[in-house]
Amino acid sequence: MKRKIILFAAVAFVLNLSAQEKQKDTINSKEELSEIVITGTRTERVLSSLPLPMTVITSEAILKTGVTRLNEILNEQTGVILIPDESGFEGIQMQGLDAAYTMILIDGVPLVGRSSGVLDLSRVSVGNIDRIEIVKGASSALYGSEAMGGVINVITKKPKKDTFSGALSYRYATFNTNNANANLLWKKKKFAANLFADFYSTAGYDLDKNSPLKNVESFYNYTIQPKLYYDFSDNLKLTVSNRFYNQKMDNPAIIDAKSYKGEAKENEWNSQIKLEQKWNSKLYTEYELYATNYKNDSYLNDENNVAFDKAYYNQWLFRPEVRTTLTINKDKLTAGVGVNYESLDRTYFDKNVKFNSQYVFVQYDYNPADRWNILAGFRYDNHSEYASQLSPKLAVNYKVNDNLSLKGSVGYGYKAPDFRQLFFDFTNPAAGYSVLGYNVAEDRLNQFESEGQIASRVQGISFDKPLNAESAVNFNFGTFYKKNKLRLDVNAFYNSIENLIDTRVVATKKSGGNIFSYFNTSKVFTYGLEFNSTYSFTKEFAVSVGYQYLTAKDEAVLDNFEQYQYIRNSKLETIQLNKSDYFGLFNRSKHTANIKFAYSIPVIKTDVNLRVFYRSKYGLFDTNGNAILDKYDKFISDYFIANLTASKNITDQLFFQLGANNLLDYKDPSEIPNLAGRQLFARIQYNF
């Protein structure tokens, strides 16, 4: 590893000595004051006037961090925490809501392939990203299910000038991690094209040398993303976009002290066709057809190479949609209609299950005066498997003066029951328990009973009514201030979630194992405060500070606290708890913070970027037997992570970078398996 880093440095030094061209100073380039965003309203809007809590990550900011995957750059944002699930995938937590409640989009269309509600964000490379738009809070009024907690839209680069341009990049890092990509852009008159290709491989890492299994096994993946553009005229434009992703990973296992080997494969395909038609200066329509397929197949063989286990996952989504925007003076009326067709065939489903839904949404962007902006809208979803949903939203922005604005919003969001919660049919042969989806539970319980396997069924439980969608009411109120060297963004939020879907015991087997199914049970709430600020001391030196305070609790625990108020400590003494001793939901930290230093050295055309992140303590399990997380439980201690990057423009076209993620080498193998320790990297990029 050290030899390769030294080789990188030597090559950069020689190129620097031999460079005769005038160097390009990108260090002092400023972000445009009026950034145009689209995710919050599905129309182009100036970020500062948007009445919603929103963050934009630019391609320049991504480049200076040196990261390569989507999960890495999101983990550096205030109020965005990546939480690993039991599969090791890292899912987004925003405003205290789990990954299942955040919709992930690429160029406005959704990704599929969630494991227990978690989408593997490392599937997405950042090599061709123009910007990332993060909308926090209920967004179901525009995007439907999975957007109850917010939306993250990855917007890729597109050709802008009549020329051929692009970038070639290679990055080497600890754990023999290699990432090479090429992004090629070409435009000539009415025709334009973009081709992005990315290859990523790693040997994985092992934090516990006493175990034969690694925390992350070796794997490689590649992404190919071609896009074509054709302008029939100034008023009629066509976009055809495809994305292909393939990954192979070693898949060893230890089961009952026996070793097994295998392989896991992922394949993803996305295709989008969009036609944009401008009827006149006031009327604009988009026709969009989107299809995507995600497959995951894995197997295990024993020591004699005999098949032991196989698993598969095959999900399809097909979605046509039409959107129209009518400009009325200063205002915009947007309406859309679409259809979702989904199917999933996977291990432990007795059949290929299908969903279909029809939806319509309307939004009015109203500007009654120069200082006021009012955004009102709703979406109606008619679904084949659960009750129809109406999702309204209202947001207001008031510009106090040229520097200060106030904004507030209230919205209703929902999360539909997923395929697993409705159709899962799994029995663990070793432990003896079963998990049944709501829609198949009654028939399977009757079958178990006819086979003489049931000892008792829980009284009062029926599956007569459909499982309801989870629903949330979300409030945001904040302020945005920008003057001279200071930029400040503050947002307070509150979420109240009803009909939370959770598992419950429905029967006990004669063998002693329980049978679980899914039900609408709890009501939870989250509230907190988010703070972001940037101060530019000079043109060369700026500091950014971010902080989030979060409280997340189960209302049923507070309402029935007498069921949870006694515990036994390590000395077997009985302790009575107060409500104030209830810490809240699992895997939530009350405090997260970051501080970022950006320093430019114009003389040598170099950027230095230091980011420090803090997460306060949090609990993963109930460790004292009262079924909640209280202050006497075992917690994962608070910790700091520091990332350091140094970037240099050697010539107009050549860019070199060195960095260290987790600079302080913080590790907690038993509790935080996704923290791999210090990772050094070097990167070289050629722009043309």
Side-chain angles (χ1 to χ4, degrees):
M1 171 67 191
K2 290 181 179 178
R3 287 197 298 269
K4 293 192 177 184
I5 296 294
I6 293 171
L7 179 60
F8 259 105
V11 171
F13 180 70
V14 171
L15 290 169
N16 189 27
L17 290 178
S18 62
Q20 299 297 321
E21 302 177 53
K22 182 180 178 181
Q23 296 180 340
K24 181 181 179 182
D25 182 5
T26 60
I27 298 167
N28 293 324
S29 62
K30 298 179 180 179
E31 295 181 5
E32 293 184 7
L33 296 179
S34 300
E35 285 183 298
I36 301 299
V37 295
I38 59 173
T39 307
T41 62
R42 285 201 166 187
T43 59
E44 291 188 348
R45 284 289 304 269
V46 176
L47 176 61
S48 60
S49 70
L50 195 68
L52 303 169
M54 187 168 181
T55 301
V56 176
I57 311 170
T58 64
S59 58
E60 291 81 7
I62 296 172
L63 181 64
K64 289 180 180 180
T65 63
V67 301
T68 62
R69 320 310 287 178
L70 180 60
N71 58 317
E72 296 172 326
I73 190 63
L74 291 178
N75 206 29
E76 295 199 357
Q77 310 310 308
T78 303
V80 178
I81 304 172
L82 266 72
I83 307 296
D85 71 348
E86 64 275 6
S87 67
F89 295 154
E90 292 181 317
I92 289 291
Q93 185 188 103
M94 293 198 306
Q95 295 190 351
L97 302 183
D98 281 333
Y101 307 115
T102 300
M103 177 172 280
I104 309 297
L105 310 172
I106 294 183
D107 292 324
V109 290
L111 295 180
V112 300
R114 292 175 180 262
S115 172
S116 302
V118 175
L119 197 68
D120 179 15
L121 301 177
S122 68
R123 281 158 47 185
V124 182
S125 168
V126 301
N128 67 332
I129 291 178
D130 181 66
R131 67 187 186 276
I132 301 169
E133 298 180 357
I134 304 173
V135 181
K136 297 176 182 176
S139 300
S140 295
L142 282 179
Y143 294 99
S145 181
E146 294 180 12
M148 190 166 82
V151 174
I152 295 175
N153 190 10
V154 176
I155 300 170
T156 59
K157 294 179 179 179
K158 63 181 297 185
K160 296 179 180 179
K161 298 179 180 180
D162 278 2
T163 185
F164 178 63
S165 62
L168 304 175
S169 175
Y170 174 70
R171 180 182 185 269
Y172 182 81
T174 306
F175 311 125
N176 194 24
T177 301
N178 299 268
N179 184 215
N181 61 60
N183 191 34
L184 309 177
L185 302 103
W186 179 72
K187 187 175 189 298
K188 187 173 183 179
K189 296 182 180 179
K190 294 184 177 183
F191 184 76
N194 174 212
L195 176 63
F196 175 70
D198 181 272
F199 176 81
Y200 183 92
S201 69
T202 180
Y205 62 88
D206 187 7
L207 300 179
D208 184 4
K209 303 301 181 183
N210 295 320
S211 170
L213 302 180
K214 296 180 179 179
N215 293 79
V216 173
E217 299 293 335
S218 61
F219 68 90
Y220 72 86
N221 59 52
Y222 61 84
T223 302
I224 300 175
Q225 190 167 353
K227 299 180 71 175
L228 300 174
Y229 308 85
Y230 187 76
D231 297 347
F232 295 96
S233 68
D234 290 341
N235 298 325
L236 189 63
K237 300 180 180 182
L238 176 68
T239 302
V240 178
S241 174
N242 289 279
R243 178 175 176 271
F244 306 94
Y245 172 83
N246 180 277
Q247 176 170 291
K248 289 186 179 181
M249 176 181 245
D250 291 344
N251 184 38
I254 303 293
I255 303 174
D256 296 331
K258 294 182 179 180
S259 296
Y260 298 86
K261 291 184 178 181
E263 190 175 68
K265 298 180 181 179
E266 289 183 75
N267 289 280
E268 182 182 4
W269 165 75
N270 318 101
S271 184
Q272 178 190 23
I273 301 173
K274 183 168 69 174
L275 185 66
E276 303 171 64
Q277 184 172 17
K278 186 176 181 180
W279 299 91
N280 52 48
S281 60
K282 295 184 177 181
L283 187 62
Y284 171 80
T285 302
E286 290 180 303
Y287 311 89
E288 185 177 78
L289 183 62
Y290 176 64
T292 182
N293 173 237
Y294 173 82
K295 292 182 179 179
N296 189 329
D297 298 282
S298 63
Y299 69 88
L300 285 174
N301 292 345
D302 63 18
E303 296 175 345
N304 299 316
N305 205 33
V306 176
F308 171 76
D309 184 50
K310 287 186 177 182
Y312 60 91
Y313 185 109
N314 185 8
Q315 184 175 2
W316 282 89
L317 169 64
F318 178 73
R319 191 191 77 177
E321 183 177 285
V322 179
R323 302 181 293 273
T324 295
T325 298
L326 174 65
T327 301
I328 308 170
N329 297 322
K330 295 181 180 180
D331 309 326
K332 289 184 178 180
L333 176 65
T334 301
V337 60
V339 180
N340 281 324
Y341 297 96
E342 290 184 79
S343 69
L344 177 60
D345 186 18
R346 65 169 295 184
T347 315
Y348 311 120
F349 280 21
D350 63 350
K351 61 180 180 178
N352 185 349
V353 295
K354 298 179 180 179
F355 285 169
N356 67 79
S357 63
Q358 306 82 38
Y359 61 88
V360 59
F361 61 86
V362 178
Q363 176 183 264
Y364 190 50
D365 191 343
Y366 180 48
N367 297 276
D370 290 341
R371 294 181 180 271
W372 287 94
N373 174 241
I374 301 172
L375 198 66
F378 70 89
R379 172 168 163 147
Y380 179 79
D381 287 81
N382 179 44
H383 199 278
S384 61
E385 297 296 333
Y386 61 91
S388 300
Q389 298 292 319
L390 180 66
S391 307
K393 187 160 190 172
L394 176 66
V396 178
N397 187 85
Y398 176 68
K399 189 175 181 180
V400 180
N401 53 47
D402 290 341
N403 307 115
L404 178 66
S405 62
L406 303 176
K407 54 187 177 181
S409 65
V410 56
Y412 174 90
Y414 78 97
K415 169 67 173 66
D418 60 34
F419 287 109
R420 171 179 51 92
Q421 292 163 339
L422 293 177
F423 299 103
F424 206 45
D425 187 354
F426 170 74
T427 296
N428 186 308
Y433 69 88
S434 297
V435 182
L436 305 176
Y438 187 88
N439 285 15
V440 302
E442 185 66 38
D443 289 342
R444 290 290 283 136
L445 284 170
N446 292 337
Q447 181 181 341
F448 284 143
E449 206 161 27
S450 66
E451 294 170 352
Q453 296 188 47
I454 300 293
S456 63
R457 292 180 63 164
V458 176
Q459 297 298 316
I461 289 181
S462 68
F463 300 90
D464 298 335
K465 298 180 180 180
L467 194 62
N468 291 322
E470 299 173 87
S471 61
V473 177
N474 166 254
F475 297 90
N476 285 279
F477 180 76
T479 181
F480 177 82
Y481 178 81
K482 182 173 175 55
K483 186 176 182 181
N484 299 328
K485 299 179 179 182
L486 178 64
R487 176 173 176 155
L488 180 66
D489 195 350
V490 181
N491 184 63
F493 59 86
Y494 177 83
N495 294 281
S496 177
I497 307 168
E498 295 187 349
N499 290 325
L500 194 73
I501 298 175
D502 203 353
T503 56
R504 183 189 301 177
V505 175
V506 296
T508 301
K509 297 181 180 181
K510 291 181 178 179
S511 61
N514 290 323
I515 301 176
F516 300 86
S517 190
Y518 296 91
F519 293 89
N520 297 116
T521 55
S522 308
K523 179 179 180 180
V524 304
F525 62 87
T526 75
Y527 64 84
L529 180 72
E530 223 175 85
F531 169 92
N532 274 295
S533 68
T534 300
Y535 188 80
S536 301
F537 290 90
T538 67
K539 291 181 179 179
E540 293 78 27
F541 181 56
V543 177
S544 299
V545 177
Y547 169 75
Q548 178 185 264
Y549 170 78
L550 172 69
T551 291
K553 294 188 176 182
D554 187 333
E555 195 165 297
V557 172
L558 297 174
D559 291 343
N560 304 285
F561 195 73
E562 62 275 4
Q563 300 177 20
Y564 310 96
Q565 67 183 135
Y566 293 101
I567 63 168
R568 288 286 186 97
N569 62 14
S570 58
K571 299 178 181 179
L572 299 182
E573 299 170 338
T574 300
I575 298 176
Q576 184 175 4
L577 305 180
N578 298 314
K579 283 187 179 181
S580 59
D581 297 328
Y582 172 42
F583 189 83
L585 301 182
F586 297 101
N587 217 339
R588 270 81 171 175
S589 296
K590 288 187 179 296
H591 310 281
T592 54
N594 62 72
I595 182 167
K596 303 175 182 179
F597 302 91
Y599 182 58
S600 299
I601 311 173
V603 176
I604 57 174
K605 307 295 183 181
T606 299
D607 276 342
V608 179
N609 199 287
L610 175 64
R611 295 97 64 203
V612 181
F613 307 95
Y614 170 75
R615 184 177 182 186
S616 67
K617 71 175 186 178
Y618 59 97
L620 293 176
F621 307 103
D622 166 41
T623 56
N624 52 31
N626 64 340
I628 65 170
L629 185 64
D630 59 70
K631 71 177 186 179
Y632 296 101
D633 278 306
K634 180 182 178 182
F635 285 82
I636 296 174
S637 300
D638 57 346
Y639 62 88
F640 288 90
I641 297 293
N643 297 339
L644 176 65
T645 309
S647 309
K648 179 177 177 59
N649 289 289
I650 299 172
T651 70
D652 276 345
Q653 298 174 304
L654 199 58
F655 174 83
F656 180 69
Q657 194 172 60
L658 289 172
N661 290 333
N662 196 356
L663 181 66
L664 305 177
D665 198 27
Y666 178 80
K667 288 182 286 190
D668 188 354
S670 61
E671 303 291 354
I672 317 177
N674 62 319
L675 275 181
R678 185 184 298 113
Q679 301 159 65
L680 305 177
F681 67 86
R683 175 181 183 176
I684 193 163
Q685 180 168 309
Y686 179 71
N687 302 307
F688 57 91

